[in-house]
DNA sequence: CGAGTGACGGACG
DNA sequence: CCGTCCGCCACTC
């Protein structure tokens, strides 16, 4: 698999997270056949072109918390996007028991 | 080549 | 529910 194909796979996996559900970076990496590559998913997301229509907000860390990124799209925005589609929070963390994506 | 650095994950107290 | 420490891996300098 070429690096480009890996990236496409990661993007397609994220694209298939259903509304109202979330997945962790590590979970996506695992589904892509790359265990222990959670950080790769983070990088892929960080370098996502503006135009690409991807539900990036449905990816959180393993604890259900929102990981830091550019000031561009704040943590508050991601939380609002999730809550808008029915994702419930417990404090600062997504209720993973309820919303973790399990294909 | 070694040290530092992350949109990370897990164990432990 | 913290904070801390450590493992991990691609990338940068």
């Amino acid at each position: 698999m070429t690096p480009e194909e890996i990236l496409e796979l990661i993007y397609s996996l994220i694209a298939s997270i259903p509304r109202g559900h979330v997945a962790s970076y590590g979970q996506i990496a695992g589904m892509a056949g790359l265990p222990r590559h959670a950080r790769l998913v983070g990088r892929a997301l960080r370098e996502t072109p503006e135009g690409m229509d991807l539900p990036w907000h449905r990816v959180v860390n393993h604890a259900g918390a929102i990981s830091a990124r550019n000031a561009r799209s704040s943590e508050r925005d991601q939380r609002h996007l999730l809550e808008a589609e029915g994702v419930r929070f417990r404090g600062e963390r997504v209720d993973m028991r309820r919303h973790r994506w399990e294909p």
Side-chain angles (χ1 to χ4, degrees), chain A residues 17-87:
Chain A
I17 304 174
R19 264 180 67 87
H21 293 263
V22 299
S24 74
Y25 298 90
Q27 190 184 344
I28 296 296
M31 292 191 278
L34 297 167
R36 300 181 296 286
H37 283 68
R39 301 189 114 112
L40 177 64
V41 176
R43 244 189 342 273
L45 233 39
R46 184 184 56 194
E47 289 161 13
T48 298
E50 278 290 329
M52 195 183 311
D53 180 28
L54 208 67
W56 56 270
H57 59 282
R58 299 187 187 138
V59 185
V60 296
N61 67 34
H62 73 125
I66 292 170
S67 297
R69 94 222 47 176
N70 313 326
R72 178 75 137 247
S73 36
S74 70
E75 170 176 342
R76 189 178 60 78
D77 293 332
Q78 181 167 4
R79 176 166 183 153
H80 284 345
L81 284 168
L82 288 173
E83 291 180 325
E85 51 184 62
V87 174

